[in-house]
Amino acid sequence: MMDQLPLSLRWPRQQRFEHFAPGANAAALALLQRAAREDDAPWVVLAGPASSGKTHLLVAACQAASEAGRSAQYLPLAGLRGPREAAIRGVAGSALIALDDLQAIAGDRAAEHALFDLYNRCRAEGATLLFAADAPPAQLALTLPDLRSRLGACTLAPLKPLDDAERRAVLRARAAARGIELDDAVLDWLFARHARDLGALTALLDRLDSASLAAQRRITVPFLRELLAREG
């Protein structure tokens, strides 16, 4: 897997704005939609726990920017195999740059300085920067005061994960769009025994769809047990 997604990337279809279930995060969605398409949109820091939709929104913004004719790059700071400083300094020349997992560079002075320089370069070039972290910049263990100050000047967009009722509704709707009926017993079983984040549940739905078509069977609790036992 590449550390940095290339400009020619076909962004994952499931991580687009139209597939984002906002719940309480409608304001953050609107900010990212604007940032994807407008050169003068505010820079945004998405802050929220795991499974709150940070990566989905960053990737969706890159896809929407590309669709609008703007070059875009996405850099997952937590998933880099090499030095983070080099990766950050290698990001350049795009109209929109999205940096995920900002907390991963906290305490790495070389990477922090690289991000500070990137911030200033993007301001000078008129590019748009988007960030995501598990907490607001003021709560990250950043050692470079000037970087903390720059990040604090961005628009903060807190994110909240969907609650169980919202996740159930989204999963049921996505299943219905495929012609699959998920009854309450199936959903109860899934939410009691499977990872509850929407990404994992949607990936499971993909597998269920294929397996049920191959077996010519409805998706029931016994069918779920059999499938997950085989996968386990």
Side-chain angles (χ1 to χ4, degrees):
M1 176 177 168
M2 298 183 65
D3 288 337
Q4 183 178 317
L5 300 181
L7 299 182
S8 60
L9 175 79
R10 180 179 294 176
W11 306 98
R13 181 168 297 278
Q14 69 273 19
Q15 289 182 305
R16 300 192 176 187
F17 285 137
E18 61 265 32
H19 300 308
F20 183 74
N25 303 314
L29 172 60
L31 282 169
L32 269 288
Q33 288 173 321
R34 181 182 170 194
R37 298 180 174 92
E38 299 178 16
D39 292 333
D40 60 350
W43 293 9
V44 179
V45 177
L46 300 170
S51 303
S52 56
K54 301 186 297 293
T55 297
H56 187 140
L57 284 175
L58 290 185
V59 172
C62 290
Q63 183 275 330
S66 297
E67 197 172 69
R70 303 176 73 205
S71 55
Q73 294 182 72
Y74 166 80
L75 187 66
L77 294 170
L80 298 177
R81 291 191 292 266
R84 293 188 176 100
E85 176 193 9
I88 294 169
R89 293 197 183 280
V91 175
S94 289
L96 183 140
I97 298 171
L99 294 102
D100 208 349
D101 299 311
L102 191 58
Q103 71 279 356
I105 68 164
D108 181 340
R109 289 191 65 83
E112 289 186 25
H113 277 281
L115 184 54
F116 178 74
D117 292 342
L118 175 64
Y119 188 108
N120 292 333
R121 188 166 75 246
C122 288
R123 278 292 184 215
E125 295 173 354
T128 300
L129 269 179
L130 301 175
F131 306 93
D134 60 9
Q139 297 176 24
L140 300 178
L142 297 168
T143 59
L144 188 61
D146 286 344
L147 176 60
R148 188 183 299 109
S149 174
R150 295 292 195 281
L151 293 171
C154 298
T155 299
L156 179 64
L159 291 177
K160 291 177 59 179
L162 298 178
D163 62 29
D164 277 358
E166 290 168 328
R167 280 194 288 267
R168 287 171 71 106
V170 170
L171 194 63
R172 196 191 295 271
R174 290 181 180 176
R178 299 164 180 254
I180 299 170
E181 182 181 351
L182 296 181
D183 61 29
D184 287 337
V186 168
L187 289 170
D188 289 345
W189 195 92
L190 275 177
F191 276 75
R193 294 168 177 82
H194 195 270
R196 293 187 178 189
D197 73 271
L198 202 51
L201 288 167
T202 300
L204 176 59
L205 181 61
D206 290 339
R207 304 198 301 276
L208 284 171
D209 190 8
S210 298
S212 65
L213 283 172
Q216 292 293 297
R217 290 176 58 185
R218 289 181 59 249
I219 296 176
T220 61
V221 171
F223 183 76
L224 270 173
R225 287 199 188 98
E226 292 173 20
L227 175 66
L228 294 178
R230 288 199 303 271
E231 291 183 347

